[in-house]
Amino acid sequence: MELDHVKHGVKLWHLNHKLARRLQRKRDEQVFGDYTFVVGASKYLKEIEGLHYRLFRQPMLNWLVWVYRFHAPNLISLILDKSGKIVGYECFMFNEVEVQDCILHEVYVGVESELQGKGLATALRRYSIASYDFGNLNGISTVAVTGDIQALRSAQKAGFAITKASLKPPGQYLFHPLTLGR
């Protein structure tokens, strides 16, 4: 059983490594109050992993961290404070079942605990949507886990719509169409 899990992780790593290389994205920065939204860089990976662990008490998927080492600018969006410290992040990947439909999946989003409820996650999602919205993807998907009303509302405020129930993990599957898909 464990070997199958490892094989699946390797398969997903290859898929994401290949597709992330070809992904097109605008690299513009955006200011939101005292914060700046930027595309990711591998130099921030340890800081992102630390923030993720503090927020969710579990590490990011190892194979995905390796993809981000090579393709952070194409798959990560960040919120930086005035001093350049990361206070929020949004990470993407390609799911096997969505690849044929040219859909990018938002897998992680997090904002420092003391800054939650101020619209930063919603604004970060809008920044990411705009950075990908120029013709090379049909849309972006995400899952709001059952009981995480904050994540659900943030995604909806950013323009995502519930399209179906998700079984794994249990929750709501949300989708935001991009230019190619309109």
Side-chain angles (χ1 to χ4, degrees):
M1 185 73 150
E2 182 66 30
L3 184 59
D4 289 337
H5 184 70
V6 171
K7 284 181 181 179
H8 185 68
V10 170
K11 183 178 178 183
L12 285 172
W13 182 88
H14 281 290
L15 174 76
N16 277 272
H17 184 66
K18 181 177 109 181
L19 295 175
R21 247 184 300 176
R22 298 184 204 144
L23 191 58
Q24 298 172 11
R25 183 175 194 191
K26 295 176 189 168
R27 313 264 179 191
D28 302 337
E29 294 183 359
Q30 181 182 327
V31 175
F32 182 80
D34 292 336
Y35 305 96
T36 305
F37 300 136
V38 298
V39 297
S42 58
K43 70 179 183 179
Y44 293 117
L45 218 52
K46 288 291 181 197
E47 199 174 343
I48 295 166
E49 287 180 274
L51 176 56
H52 181 82
Y53 193 82
R54 285 194 311 277
L55 292 171
F56 301 106
R57 297 288 179 237
Q58 62 182 7
M60 298 171 90
L61 294 169
N62 286 331
W63 67 265
L64 200 48
V65 171
W66 275 100
V67 171
Y68 295 149
R69 288 185 198 286
F70 296 100
H71 303 290
N74 287 345
L75 295 172
I76 298 176
S77 298
L78 299 172
I79 306 173
L80 304 177
D81 66 10
K82 287 182 179 180
S83 68
K85 178 184 172 231
I86 293 174
V87 296
Y89 64 94
E90 184 178 23
C91 299
F92 298 90
M93 66 174 275
F94 288 96
N95 276 329
E96 289 175 294
V97 296
E98 296 175 320
V99 168
Q100 71 276 7
D101 296 323
C102 297
I103 296 172
L104 187 64
H105 185 74
E106 177 200 75
V107 65
Y108 301 124
V109 62
V111 174
E112 285 281 6
S113 299
E114 64 272 10
L115 298 175
Q116 292 178 7
K118 298 178 188 243
L120 286 170
T122 302
L124 180 61
R125 282 178 157 135
R126 288 179 179 147
Y127 167 78
S128 294
I129 289 165
S131 76
Y132 291 116
D133 194 14
F134 60 99
N136 61 333
L137 291 169
N138 276 324
I140 299 174
S141 68
T142 190
V143 172
V145 179
T146 301
D148 192 348
I149 300 301
Q150 239 181 335
L152 177 63
R153 295 295 178 246
S154 171
Q156 288 177 318
K157 287 178 188 174
F160 286 82
I162 296 171
T163 59
K164 61 185 173 186
S166 169
L167 298 176
K168 189 175 178 183
Q172 301 298 322
Y173 178 89
L174 296 102
F175 181 77
H176 189 291
L178 297 177
T179 303
L180 188 62
R182 290 187 202 151

